[in-house]
Amino acid sequence: MKELLQTQMMNHLWEIQLKGGYINDEDVKRLAHQFNLSETEVEGVVSFYHFFHRKPTGKYTIYLNNSIVADIKGFSRIKETLERETGAVFGSVDRTGTFGLFLTPCIGLSDQEPSALINFYPFTNLNAIKIKDIIASLKKGADPAAICDTPAVNIRYSPQGSKSFFFKEFIDGKKWDAAKSQPSLPKYVICNADEGEPGTFKDRVLMQTQAKSLIEGMLICGYTIGSEYGIIYLRGEYRWLKSKLEDAIQEYRNSGLLGRECGGIKGFNFDIRVQMGAGSYVCGEETALLESLEGKRGEPRTKWFFPVEKGYLQQPTVINNVETFCAAARIIEMGTEEYLSLGIPGSPGVKLLSVSGDCKIPGIYEIELGMTVAELLELCEAEDPYYIQVSGPSGECISIKEKYRRISMLDLLARKDIRCGGAFMIFNKQRDLVKVLLNFTEFFKSESCGICTPCRAGNFIIQRKLERLDNGLANEKDLEELKNWGMIMKNTSRCGLGKTATNSLIYAMDKFHSYFSSKLDKEFNGLNLKFDIEAATKEYEKYKI
Ligand code: SF4
């Protein structure tokens, strides 16, 4: 596969990061020279990704998930235990340089929280005793690869479900048609395996169990549009799946289904490689992903062209996610007629949902479109559900009063401003809605690429306002401003991250109006009802010189 040199930048950075635990000044100089870039440009790329560091990260680098689901499943206790057992404080490395502790939002294991990555290997269903054992083994020199968990694959089907194994809504062939009609060569097929929306983990399960369907889906796309090159952009959090995918690709090469004249089809050459991301949610946005693949900062492009016109290396490119490619392979196998017979009129097919939070049976659910929220809640044995976040923090929140809404393209999944990643996070009445929203805002604040003001400043302002609300200091004007900022971000941000970051807040303020009113400072005396002197002192100690 002939590609420009800078496209190899991410691979070089990963190699250095994994070998030495960080990227030092000499590395930056060397890479700048090698890629014919300035040192500032290389610095810019390094600093963009959460998993590239300019300071040592310890022999064992531990990333603990701090998503909202982890939070309700015991994150604080795990955090404390890790600090106690390793002697390190989160955000730094212990004095011996052995353990580095870092927080990260959602590692695609919401059905097995609390969870963490150690040297990018998964450790799931953590508790204090398990942490003690893991750290003791590492102190004795254990290899994280040898002692990590294989994340469980929890798949369930609705009673009426097809057991057809992983379909999604009927594939929109527009992208493939558009790429096919482009005269320019070469063309590229890219799998977006960067599902970073907190609460979403269906692509992880698909890659664990259906890697071959993914390869076949990409092959079919390559054949359709006339492409020879496929790339799977795999999120850094799923690094542990890389060798599994590469083994499956090699198997296809060995059997003549990838490479030259695939499957004996004269003139059809197609191959696939895996490219690692490095911890950036915004790279799930198509054009940011393309920038990252080209070895640059993953900043969304100004949309002069669709990727099917000018995508990877300015060539026609189809970008679909893991679920879509797997679905393409299965639809071809079963035939469209059978597929279209599933679901309801106007919304045929089935959908994969990642269910987590306050329920007894979290996992992946394959449902026929048209199922009601109430039926899904019953299936997963939801515990006193009150508030449900559909499609992750950038999606729509619904109240239990809406439980008879249908999960279909005619109702719950119909909104064009919300792309359904299929996450269903369930919260009971004991959960504090403002805390949930604060968690989401912190996530968007740290994932914003910062290139446009509404998103960069808006997330920050919204976080401050929510903190006022949480502390009992907000008044009606604050609520009004919260909503206004939400709308400003929605209407003026440059990419999908900023446009959708306040969806949950806007919906929650409409649907849980009395809850928000109950949080207001009724006296309006400005007294900080929840001033936490311990936290304030801790902050002071941390930053004093
Ligand atoms: S909306 Fe946010 S993530 Fe998107 S370009 Fe603007 S600052 Fe970057």
Side-chain angles (χ1 to χ4, degrees):
M1 200 183 294
K2 189 171 174 292
E3 294 175 62
L4 299 181
L5 195 57
Q6 196 177 339
T7 58
Q8 298 307 311
M9 173 70 89
M10 297 290 279
N11 291 341
H12 284 253
L13 290 171
W14 262 115
E15 202 183 313
I16 299 165
Q17 176 67 47
L18 291 175
K19 203 166 162 201
Y22 75 114
I23 294 151
N24 65 30
D25 292 346
E26 281 309 309
D27 297 321
V28 171
K29 267 190 203 149
R30 189 166 41 77
L31 288 173
H33 180 69
Q34 206 171 332
F35 289 102
N36 199 19
L37 298 169
S38 70
E39 286 175 40
T40 314
E41 282 172 295
V42 177
E43 281 276 7
V45 177
V46 174
S47 63
F48 188 82
Y49 299 93
H50 296 313
F51 294 150
F52 294 149
H53 294 261
R54 292 285 276 123
K55 286 185 185 163
T57 51
K59 183 178 171 195
Y60 301 112
T61 311
I62 303 177
Y63 287 99
L64 178 64
N65 180 13
N66 65 353
S67 73
I68 188 63
V69 177
D71 192 56
I72 65 178
K73 299 287 176 184
F75 160 81
S76 304
R77 179 120 170 80
I78 301 304
K79 184 171 176 255
E80 264 172 43
T81 313
L82 274 169
E83 288 190 332
R84 200 174 50 244
E85 295 301 312
T86 61
V89 174
F90 267 86
S92 63
V93 178
D94 75 312
R95 274 187 294 177
T96 66
T98 311
F99 295 101
L101 297 182
F102 302 91
L103 295 175
T104 192
C106 201
I107 53 178
L109 294 163
S110 293
D111 54 340
Q112 295 159 66
E113 292 295 347
S115 60
L117 297 171
I118 304 182
N119 290 2
F120 297 98
Y121 291 99
F123 289 79
T124 60
N125 294 313
L126 296 172
N127 56 43
I129 294 170
K130 190 168 173 181
I131 290 286
K132 280 184 190 172
D133 289 346
I134 293 167
I135 300 301
S137 303
L138 294 176
K139 282 180 180 168
K140 285 184 202 150
D143 179 356
I147 60 167
C148 71
D149 297 311
T150 303
V153 173
N154 304 314
I155 307 166
R156 288 175 183 83
Y157 307 91
S158 65
Q160 311 86 342
S162 59
K163 301 213 173 179
S164 53
F165 220 59
F166 304 131
F167 285 171
K168 69 172 289 185
E169 69 271 21
F170 193 57
I171 291 176
D172 178 355
K174 277 186 200 156
K175 276 188 188 176
W176 294 20
D177 277 346
K180 188 181 171 187
S181 66
Q182 295 294 319
S184 181
L185 288 172
K187 298 176 187 179
Y188 294 94
V189 175
I190 290 172
C191 171
N192 181 350
D194 194 45
E195 61 170 359
E197 189 77 35
T200 312
F201 48 91
K202 65 181 171 53
D203 288 351
R204 179 206 96 216
V205 173
L206 285 171
M207 287 186 282
Q208 276 185 275
T209 61
Q210 298 285 297
K212 291 181 178 175
S213 295
L214 169 58
I215 294 168
E216 285 168 19
M218 292 178 76
L219 255 167
I220 294 164
C221 180
Y223 182 76
T224 309
I225 70 166
S227 164
E228 297 192 356
Y229 307 113
I231 305 172
I232 299 172
Y233 183 87
L234 184 64
R235 68 187 299 229
E237 290 82 349
Y238 292 166
R239 200 182 166 86
W240 53 277
L241 280 167
K242 184 172 183 265
S243 57
K244 187 179 170 57
L245 288 172
E246 286 175 337
D247 288 349
I249 291 168
Q250 192 55 45
E251 229 182 277
Y252 271 65
R253 281 189 198 123
N254 295 345
S255 57
L257 292 168
L258 280 178
R260 295 203 67 76
E261 312 222 317
C262 303
I265 302 174
K266 223 171 167 32
F268 176 44
N269 308 320
F270 190 78
D271 209 343
I272 299 174
R273 72 173 175 88
V274 179
Q275 172 65 59
M276 292 307 307
S280 168
Y281 168 77
V282 74
C283 287
E285 197 272 350
E286 287 186 342
T287 60
L289 184 150
L290 291 171
E291 291 290 294
S292 181
L293 272 177
E294 292 180 10
K296 302 172 192 161
R297 290 166 66 83
E299 285 166 355
R301 292 178 181 171
T302 305
K303 311 280 188 302
W304 298 113
F305 299 98
F306 290 113
V308 287
E309 300 165 302
K310 285 181 192 270
Y312 182 55
L313 304 175
Q314 298 298 310
Q315 291 301 118
T317 304
V318 165
I319 308 172
N320 283 132
N321 69 14
V322 177
E323 189 182 1
T324 302
F325 283 123
C326 290
R330 293 291 288 133
I331 289 171
I332 294 278
E333 191 181 348
M334 292 187 72
T336 50
E337 214 168 284
E338 189 175 343
Y339 178 73
L340 292 172
S341 70
L342 300 166
I344 53 172
S347 185
V350 294
K351 178 85 189 100
L352 289 182
L353 301 175
S354 311
V355 177
S356 63
D358 289 313
C359 63
K360 283 203 182 116
I361 320 176
I364 296 294
Y365 285 71
E366 186 197 51
I367 62 149
E368 260 192 279
L369 289 170
M371 176 184 260
T372 63
V373 172
E375 286 168 327
L376 179 66
L377 293 174
E378 198 177 312
L379 272 180
C380 68
E381 298 187 26
E383 294 161 318
D384 191 20
Y386 174 67
Y387 164 85
I388 300 139
Q389 187 66 36
V390 184
S391 296
S394 66
E396 175 178 1
C397 72
I398 59 170
S399 122
I400 191 63
K401 290 181 197 151
E402 301 171 80
K403 67 179 177 181
Y404 294 115
R405 285 185 67 182
R406 289 193 182 277
I407 306 166
S408 82
M409 305 309 280
L410 304 175
D411 183 4
L412 204 47
L413 313 181
R415 290 198 65 115
K416 290 235 172 344
D417 58 338
I418 295 175
R419 267 181 285 167
C420 184
F424 252 74
M425 289 190 277
I426 302 163
F427 301 96
N428 67 29
K429 211 164 185 175
Q430 275 68 56
R431 309 298 175 197
D432 187 337
L433 182 45
V434 171
K435 290 265 191 297
V436 174
L437 293 170
L438 269 169
N439 182 287
F440 293 169
T441 307
E442 175 60 34
F443 169 73
F444 288 118
K445 195 183 83 176
S446 68
E447 295 298 328
S448 164
C449 80
I451 210 169
C452 64
T453 310
C455 172
R456 185 181 63 242
N459 279 312
F460 184 84
I461 292 166
I462 282 174
Q463 187 184 40
R464 290 287 168 275
K465 294 267 174 216
L466 283 172
E467 279 167 358
R468 277 178 69 78
L469 196 62
D470 190 37
N471 287 325
L473 289 170
N475 53 46
E476 285 288 355
K477 196 162 174 280
D478 288 303
L479 286 191
E480 204 180 302
E481 285 178 7
L482 254 180
K483 206 161 187 180
N484 287 344
W485 270 105
M487 291 313 292
I488 289 170
M489 282 178 64
K490 207 171 166 53
N491 294 326
T492 59
S493 291
R494 180 173 167 181
C495 86
L497 187 151
K499 285 183 193 302
T500 59
T502 53
N503 277 347
S504 46
L505 172 71
I506 294 168
Y507 280 113
M509 288 181 74
D510 280 344
K511 296 181 183 186
F512 299 88
H513 188 72
S514 55
Y515 168 85
F516 281 90
S517 299
S518 74
K519 299 287 260 183
L520 296 180
D521 175 11
K522 303 277 178 331
E523 315 280 311
F524 195 35
N525 58 17
L527 288 178
N528 192 342
L529 302 180
K530 285 194 190 167
F531 181 70
D532 184 342
I533 191 150
E534 259 182 50
T537 317
K538 223 171 168 180
E539 282 296 293
Y540 170 75
E541 292 294 333
K542 203 156 119 190
Y543 295 110
K544 79 175 179 188
I545 300 166

